[in-house]
Amino acid sequence: MILGFVGKPSCGKSTVFKAATLADVAIANYPFTTIEKNEGVGFVRVECVEKFFNTKCNPRFGYCVDGTRFVPVQLIDVAGLVPGAHLGKGRGNQFLNDLAQADVLVHIVDSSGSINERGEPVDMGSYDPSNDIRFLEIELDMWYFGLLRKGWEKFARQVHQEKTPIQKALFKQLSGLKVTEFMVEHSIKKLNLVENPELWSESQLKDLTLALRRLSKPMIITANKIDLPGAYDNYLRMKKEFPDYMIIPCSGDRELALRIAAKHKMINYIPGSKDFEILVDLNDAQKKALESIKNEVLDEIGSTGVQEVLEYATFNLCKQIAVFPGGLNKLTDQYGNILPDCFLINEGSTALDFANRIHTDLAKNFIRAIDVKTRKVVGKDHVLKNLDVVEIITSK
């Protein structure tokens, strides 16, 4: 599962990305600071099952704080997109193609209205950030349409002549965009398209690509720079204008400041928290900066918003659940680590799916599984629940 960070230049996208990952990325207030995509790892919170077993876990990946497990997720940050990106403006085709592997898009919007559509600074509040949501929808839709429209007549004719089911042919054509066969079949039925694709009009083809884009690239809106003047009012207005999107207020630079301070052990701060604890003596400037974060962001919106964005994208849009491998008689691995792993898997996954996620050999030699919490034996088709602990029994 991959979360793709997208937005126009200078909207604060790379700042939010760096805050989520503490990756070493370039941050500046001018267009195209980011050229090549950045890749990193963020973390989402789940309740650790160590509480259930009254023990203390030793994660191999991520970490655990007071019974809250921070599980890694993959993030990519592509260069800023401008209107006309699907036509190649601002190297847009390259940047859009970088998004192909993303399962969900995190659209970073400068809610203060201080950056125009080209990513250039303007007077605070003079630009309507709602325009950014509209423009990105258009660019994504036209990107999908352009990919499908290219060579469409030949493709449709071949599909019809070879009597290949259109949903299978389109799935194969668009699988690189994370389009599934179910998405194609669902969209064709919803749009009442005839079986022969040669008879589809261009408007029908556009409707299909729009439907597939929304299904394969669901999006959350991050109202960044929420602490700047006028930003919160813009955020409330965007929520009314775009009721179909989850829009979360956020301050990427304040989250970054907190994480850097925590990294240097100046404060105790858990990502997603509404407060922090100062651990060392600070100078007046440092105290003032932290007080500003507390008063202007944490007290106002309950957190910086960065953690909430990652978690909504992961659990609500990507529909992930957390499942732990474990043994009925012991919860440790061969090195003595307790509950070392936690996997994020799709909702509706079975015990066999989980075995395959851990290792293909486990799925190949699968005999049965055990729900460690209930101590019940379950079969390969047993559907797993969030925070299950599962032992896989194999023939080898």
Side-chain angles (χ1 to χ4, degrees):
M1 183 197 67
I2 300 175
L3 309 186
F5 281 50
V6 62
K8 70 183 181 185
S10 303
C11 64
K13 177 172 51 63
S14 292
T15 303
V16 177
F17 178 85
K18 184 169 184 176
T21 62
L22 282 186
D24 185 15
V25 299
I27 298 172
N29 191 28
Y30 56 85
F32 306 113
T33 307
T34 303
I35 298 298
E36 300 300 329
K37 69 178 179 182
N38 296 305
E39 300 185 46
V41 175
F43 298 89
V44 293
R45 297 170 294 182
V46 301
E47 181 182 346
C48 187
V49 295
E50 68 175 17
K51 295 179 179 180
F52 182 89
F53 296 104
N54 194 28
T55 186
K56 186 71 189 78
C57 69
N58 309 107
R60 286 200 306 156
F61 306 104
Y63 56 100
C64 190
V65 180
D66 297 331
T68 297
R69 189 81 164 239
F70 284 77
V71 184
V73 292
Q74 187 175 353
L75 312 178
I76 59 172
D77 166 33
V78 305
L81 297 173
V82 297
H86 71 280
L87 299 174
K89 292 184 179 180
R91 297 178 66 187
N93 286 327
Q94 173 193 329
F95 303 156
L96 285 167
N97 290 337
D98 286 340
L99 288 174
Q101 61 186 305
D103 295 280
V104 63
L105 302 182
V106 178
H107 183 191
I108 312 296
V109 173
D110 173 8
S111 59
S112 72
S114 60
I115 301 292
N116 68 17
E117 67 274 6
R118 295 180 298 277
E120 301 163 342
V122 294
D123 292 339
M124 188 79 66
S126 63
Y127 179 79
D128 183 358
S130 294
N131 292 336
D132 294 343
I133 300 177
R134 299 187 191 97
F135 116 75
L136 187 63
E137 286 181 325
I138 293 171
E139 294 303 323
L140 294 173
D141 290 341
M142 293 307 295
W143 170 43
Y144 266 51
F145 178 68
L147 292 173
L148 194 56
R149 185 68 184 85
K150 186 177 181 180
W152 173 255
E153 287 80 8
K154 180 180 178 181
F155 170 79
R157 184 169 59 251
Q158 183 176 351
V159 167
H160 183 59
Q161 290 175 349
E162 296 178 355
K163 300 187 185 306
T164 305
I166 183 59
Q167 62 268 26
K168 292 186 180 296
L170 278 175
F171 160 63
K172 186 176 181 180
Q173 185 88 343
L174 299 174
S175 60
L177 295 170
K178 297 295 183 81
V179 172
T180 67
E181 189 172 339
F182 170 80
M183 292 175 187
V184 176
E185 186 172 1
H186 172 81
S187 299
I188 288 175
K189 286 182 179 179
K190 186 175 181 180
L191 295 170
N192 294 315
L193 298 179
V194 298
E195 187 174 342
N196 182 1
E198 288 185 289
L199 301 178
W200 295 355
S201 67
E202 183 152 311
S203 64
Q204 287 176 316
L205 193 59
K206 281 185 178 179
D207 288 341
L208 177 61
T209 53
L210 185 150
L212 292 175
R213 193 273 298 170
R214 289 180 174 175
L215 288 172
S216 61
K217 295 287 183 284
M219 187 158 54
I220 180 174
I221 309 298
T222 304
N224 193 32
K225 306 183 185 180
I226 196 66
D227 50 311
L228 296 184
Y232 196 81
D233 288 339
N234 285 336
Y235 154 68
L236 294 177
R237 183 165 47 79
M238 286 189 289
K239 285 186 67 175
K240 290 182 179 179
E241 285 188 55
F242 303 96
D244 292 338
Y245 285 121
M246 169 58 77
I247 304 179
I248 294 180
C250 172
S251 177
D253 62 347
R254 302 301 184 100
E255 176 71 11
L256 180 58
L258 290 173
R259 293 208 185 191
I260 290 175
K263 181 180 180 180
H264 290 92
K265 302 188 184 304
M266 298 167 64
I267 63 172
N268 180 24
Y269 171 67
I270 300 174
S273 299
K274 61 181 180 181
D275 205 348
F276 54 84
E277 177 188 5
I278 297 176
L279 301 177
V280 298
D281 289 334
L282 303 174
N283 60 40
D284 290 342
Q286 291 169 331
K287 289 178 182 178
K288 185 176 180 179
L290 288 173
E291 286 174 3
S292 174
I293 295 174
K294 179 75 169 69
N295 297 332
E296 298 174 10
V297 178
L298 300 183
D299 289 345
E300 289 295 320
I301 63 174
S303 75
T304 66
V306 172
Q307 196 64 38
E308 286 73 10
V309 167
L310 298 184
E311 288 164 5
Y312 188 90
T314 299
F315 299 118
N316 296 77
L317 296 182
C318 282
K319 304 294 184 185
Q320 300 290 289
I321 61 173
V323 179
F324 295 74
L328 186 62
N329 297 315
K330 66 174 186 176
L331 299 172
T332 58
D333 63 11
Q334 59 182 319
Y335 305 107
N337 296 312
I338 301 171
L339 294 167
D341 295 314
C342 176
F343 290 88
L344 295 176
I345 61 175
N346 294 329
E347 269 184 15
S349 293
T350 65
L352 184 61
D353 294 329
F354 183 56
N356 190 64
R357 174 65 186 279
I358 298 173
H359 199 287
T360 53
D361 286 346
L362 291 182
K364 181 180 179 181
N365 300 304
F366 185 98
I367 295 178
R368 62 184 180 276
I370 300 175
D371 182 327
V372 178
K373 284 183 173 180
T374 63
R375 308 182 72 83
K376 291 182 179 179
V377 175
V378 297
K380 65 180 182 179
D381 296 326
H382 175 73
V383 177
L384 302 180
K385 306 183 302 299
N386 190 42
L387 303 184
D388 272 350
V389 182
V390 179
E391 180 178 7
I392 305 298
I393 307 298
T394 67
S395 58
K396 292 184 180 181

